[in-house]
Amino acid sequence: MKRFLVVPALVLGAILALCILNAAALNRRTEQWTHQVDRIASLAREERWNEAQSAMDALSGSWESAQDFLHVVIHHETLDAAQVTLTRCRTLCRLEQGDDLLPELAQLRQQLELLDELERLSLRNIL
Amino acid sequence: MLMATAFFRTIILYLLLIVGLRLTGKRQIGELEPIELVLTMLLSDLASVPMQDFDSPLINGVVPILTLLALTTLLSYISFRSGRFRSLICGEPAIVVRYGKLQQRAMRHNRMTVDELLEELRGQGVTDLKDVQYAVLETSGQVSVLLRPEAQPVTPRQLAMNVTEQLLPVLLINDGRLLRDNMKKMDVDDAWLRRQLKREHLKDPAQVFLLSLDQAGNVICQPKEDA
């Protein structure tokens, strides 16, 4: 009879743990990506385009490698929006168009922060 | 809707629905207990959303479903262990008719109208309220009726009659299919079966639509119409 208490309690505990781990993993990744975006923005402002493009490639690589995980936990439309902005940033960085790139990077930063915020365990999200 | 949000929202909405259903009274429930009804309502909807919305990760459907199933098992366990908790979640049976008299307060409390009560009584073959000793509105929303002794049907025991015991027949052939497990249970073999078929002028079990046997050895055999 005890299993009717233990099994659901374990399931609920496992789901809660999964939620917390998932939020932590996403927070770690989005923090890393926003740092990279900030670095690209500062390099673009200084017009150090070669370094900016390398940093942009690193950001794209890291973003791509996380796609499987992201698609499992996040609404695909949200991811698609961030992907479009990232692609636009890469193109502008390659074309060395700093004036257009900086607002796009700001938007990308906001979209990445949104991913973290959506998964954060907070009363605002729950309610 | 994301994972942690889905988890906590599911818990909040589930508890809210149970409380809501309890407050609306038993008549809204039908044949299910409040916990079962809430689970049925929520599961059917939760399962259909991730099936159709391909943009939404499957996990957003799986987390609430698992949470609901675990919560339901947990609440069922606690209800089983604690009578007070059970009456809090499922409510308590309410007497709505006592010795032919309507219990208006209990009916009002459970949002049960006179029409609904009379309909339930008619459904159970009771047309005169005076015949009812007790009518109880169960936690499942159904009404159980206990008739006054003088209105109850006469039983063979009251008439001191000897009646033969009715035994449960076991199916041995179902639409031409031989049920060997049932034959073993009834301790009959192929030779016995052949004899039964021969008596009905049949050769093969495939020609039989239904063949049953009870503990007293009574056989009912019905051949297929096209046999």
Side-chain angles (χ1 to χ4, degrees):
Chain A
M1 200 60 215
K2 265 235 162 93
R3 73 196 160 101
F4 291 112
L5 177 71
V6 174
V7 173
L10 281 178
V11 170
L12 289 174
I15 294 173
L16 187 60
L18 192 72
C19 293
I20 293 168
L21 286 176
N22 174 54
L26 203 66
N27 178 263
R28 193 169 45 80
R29 279 183 190 264
T30 48
E31 259 184 24
Q32 182 201 331
W33 291 330
T34 49
H35 280 313
Q36 284 177 292
V37 169
D38 289 344
R39 187 160 170 266
I40 295 165
S42 99
L43 289 170
R45 267 193 293 273
E46 293 166 20
E47 298 194 345
R48 291 156 65 186
W49 292 111
N50 283 340
E51 287 171 72
Q53 277 169 25
S54 306
M56 183 60 87
D57 289 343
L59 172 63
S60 295
S62 173
W63 169 259
E64 286 301 327
S65 69
Q67 283 308 296
D68 286 347
F69 160 66
L70 291 176
H71 273 80
V72 169
V73 294
I74 288 181
H75 207 273
H76 300 176
E77 270 179 20
T78 315
L79 291 177
D80 292 345
Q83 178 71 58
V84 168
T85 314
L86 179 64
T87 310
R88 225 167 18 225
C89 288
R90 279 190 82 177
T91 311
L92 291 170
C93 189
R94 212 174 299 129
L95 295 172
E96 301 181 1
Q97 292 184 3
D99 289 347
D100 293 332
L101 177 62
L102 289 172
E104 291 291 342
L105 283 173
Q107 190 182 347
L108 179 62
R109 193 181 201 286
Q110 196 192 11
Q111 285 171 325
L112 293 173
E113 280 172 344
L114 181 72
L115 296 184
D116 174 40
E117 198 196 307
L118 283 172
E119 276 293 340
R120 205 174 295 154
L121 193 56
S122 68
L123 259 186
R124 198 170 70 173
N125 275 344
I126 294 167
L127 299 177
Chain B
M1 193 169 70
L2 295 158
M3 241 160 109
T5 312
F7 178 72
F8 284 103
R9 280 188 176 192
T10 306
I11 293 175
I12 292 169
L13 290 172
Y14 178 71
L15 295 177
L16 193 71
L17 276 172
I18 288 181
V19 172
L21 266 178
R22 281 280 293 109
L23 292 177
T24 55
K26 298 183 194 79
R27 290 298 305 152
Q28 308 300 319
I29 295 173
E31 292 181 2
L32 299 170
E33 294 277 326
I35 294 179
E36 296 164 341
L37 181 65
V38 167
L39 183 71
T40 313
M41 280 163 59
L42 291 179
L43 277 190
S44 57
D45 208 43
L46 278 174
S48 67
V49 172
M51 265 183 221
Q52 294 163 24
D53 182 6
F54 301 130
D55 271 341
S56 176
L58 188 63
I59 202 157
N60 285 355
V62 172
V63 165
I65 288 172
L66 282 180
T67 306
L68 275 180
L69 292 175
L71 273 178
T72 304
T73 315
L74 209 59
L75 289 191
S76 301
Y77 177 80
I78 299 170
S79 300
F80 178 76
R81 302 291 293 189
S82 157
R84 191 178 288 180
F85 184 79
R86 185 176 159 70
S87 63
L88 190 75
I89 294 289
C90 300
E92 281 173 352
I95 296 176
V96 285
V97 181
R98 195 190 294 264
Y99 289 98
K101 200 159 179 266
L102 293 173
Q103 302 298 298
Q104 295 179 32
R105 184 187 278 187
M107 287 175 67
R108 225 180 1 256
H109 184 72
N110 288 288
R111 325 279 196 279
M112 187 179 215
T113 63
V114 177
D115 289 339
E116 285 171 335
L117 177 60
L118 293 179
E119 189 181 317
E120 288 284 348
L121 294 178
R122 282 196 299 273
Q124 300 199 32
V126 182
T127 48
D128 191 347
L129 206 58
K130 283 192 219 119
D131 289 344
V132 179
Q133 186 165 340
Y134 289 110
V136 181
L137 180 59
E138 305 290 358
T139 55
S140 63
Q142 289 181 314
V143 176
S144 304
V145 180
L146 178 69
L147 295 173
R148 285 175 189 266
E150 61 269 26
Q152 284 180 9
V154 180
T155 63
R157 190 168 54 181
Q158 288 168 324
L159 296 173
M161 282 171 63
N162 281 327
V163 285
T164 49
E165 200 176 335
Q166 279 203 332
L167 300 163
L168 192 68
V170 175
L171 214 55
L172 301 183
I173 299 177
N174 180 0
D175 200 4
R177 276 183 304 116
L178 198 56
L179 306 173
R180 290 225 172 258
D181 283 349
N182 287 359
M183 281 179 68
K184 212 177 282 176
K185 272 183 220 159
M186 296 303 286
D187 201 20
V188 292
D189 55 12
D190 286 348
W192 177 90
L193 187 68
R194 273 196 299 277
R195 279 199 303 278
Q196 300 305 319
L197 294 179
K198 200 174 171 187
R199 196 177 294 164
E200 298 287 333
H201 310 292
L202 298 167
K203 289 176 185 160
D204 192 65
Q207 296 174 295
V208 179
F209 188 64
L210 176 147
L211 188 139
S212 69
L213 169 71
D214 67 19
Q215 301 285 345
N218 298 315
V219 177
I220 297 172
C221 181
Q222 197 171 332
K224 282 187 180 175
E225 284 175 357
D226 53 357

